[in-house]
Amino acid sequence: MTVDAFQAAYEFTPEGEWAAPGRVNLIGEHTDYNDGFVMPFALPLTTRAAVARRDDGVLRLHSSADPSDTVWLRIDDLEPGGVDGWASYPAGVIWALHAAGHDAVRGADIHYDSTVPVGAGLSSSAALEVVTALALRDLYELPLQPWQLARLCQRAENVFVGAPTGIMDQTASACCTEGHALFLDTRDLSHRQIPFDLAARGLSLLVVDTGVKHAHSDGEYGRRRRGCEEGAAALGVDALRDVPYEGLDAALAEVKDESVRRLVRHIVTENRRVERVVALLEAGDARGIGPLLTEGHASLRDDFRVSCPELDLVVDTASDAGALGARMTGGGFGGSAIVLVEDGLCEKVEEAIAAAFDDAKLRSPRIFPATPSTGATRVR
C-alpha cells in the first residue's frame, strides 16, 4: 500500500520501504528528560515510509493522511521553526542530520502511511522521525547506530520542531525488540531487553485511547520540564535522577516551592517504580507489577498533575472491574491509558470502560491489546 501510494504520488517506484513503531511506556513517565529510567515497548502500530533519493537539495513529502497535498522544501533553507505541521518532523530529521555533518543527504521523495494514532500518547511523532532517519541512513549509507538515530531524532523534535521531549520515544521506536520491554537509562542510553510475554502468564495489557488530543509543544509540558530543572538546581544536582530515593524526604525539605516539590517527588518515586517493575519481571512475577502501575498513575495525577478526567475514569473503572493495575501512559493531558488484566476479565473490563464513557457522555474510547513488537526496520 505504501509503495503503491508513493507511485501514485510521484509516478515512479521508490527505492525501498521502512517501518517504525509507536510505543507504549509501561512505566517511567517524565523521567526521561530528568536523566532517569524508563521502560517502553514497541507496538505493532507503525508509520511506514516509501523513499527515493534526490540529488538536487529538494525534499518532497506526501502522506496518506493528506493525499491532496505534497510538501516541497529545500534542504538548504531548513531552519528551526521554519516548517509548520506534520512536515516539520521529517524536515527536522534532515536538518539534524546536516547539523551533525551528514550532508551527503541531498534530498528525498517520501510517502508516509501510518496506523499510529496521532495525539494518543503513543509516540506518533517519534515513529515519523525514526522511520525517516532509518530510511535516509540506509539509502545514504550513513554510519549511524539505532541509538544514534534516536539522538538525532530527539534533537529534531527539541530544536527544529520546538517540543521539549526526552529521548525515550525515539529510542523505543529505534531499539525495541519483539516480546520485550526496553529498560533504558536515559542518561547514557545503556539499555537491556526485559522479557515481557504476558500471554504466557494468562495476562493482557490493554491500551485505552481516550480520544482526548494533546500537543507536547504546548506550554504545560514545557512548564513541567522547567520545574524539574528548578528542582535539580535547588538541590545542587545535575538532574533529578541524582536524588536518591532513600534521601527523598530530606531533599523535599530543601525545596521551598510546593509545585516544584511535587515534581521532585514524582520523578524520584517513579524511577524507583521502574526499578521495581524490572525486578518483578525478571523474577517472573508479571502480576506483581499491577499495583505499581496504579501507584504511578496516582503520582502523575496528584504530584505531576498531567492526567485528565478521561484518563482517571479509565483507571478508576478498570480497577473497580477487577484489573490488576492501570495508569495513564505518555506525556499526559489526554492520550491513552494502559490496563493490566487477567485474560478472562478482558471483556468485562472493556465493557465497563465503554459503559463509563457512555454514562459520562464521552466519545467511546478505542481499546486494543498491546503486543510487544519489533523496532524500526526495513520492510523491502
Side-chain angles (χ1 to χ4, degrees), residues 229-314:
E229 292 168 353
E230 291 174 19
L235 294 169
V237 295
D238 291 336
L240 292 181
R241 180 259 182 74
D242 297 313
V243 179
Y245 178 78
E246 295 76 11
L248 177 58
D249 290 341
L252 293 176
E254 295 182 36
V255 180
K256 305 307 179 187
D257 187 314
E258 172 62 22
S259 63
V260 174
R261 190 157 53 241
R262 290 182 177 187
L263 300 180
V264 171
R265 182 164 51 219
H266 168 73
I267 297 302
V268 175
T269 58
E270 186 80 344
N271 277 323
R272 174 53 66 93
R273 279 187 284 272
V274 176
E275 293 177 309
R276 292 172 66 191
V277 167
V278 170
L280 286 167
L281 291 178
E282 290 186 326
D285 186 8
R287 284 175 175 78
I289 73 173
L292 292 172
L293 301 183
T294 307
E295 181 184 304
H297 181 79
S299 181
L300 288 160
R301 181 193 64 211
D302 300 335
D303 277 344
F304 225 72
R305 292 163 294 148
V306 292
S307 188
C308 66
E310 293 85 355
L311 290 170
D312 294 340
L313 182 61
V314 172

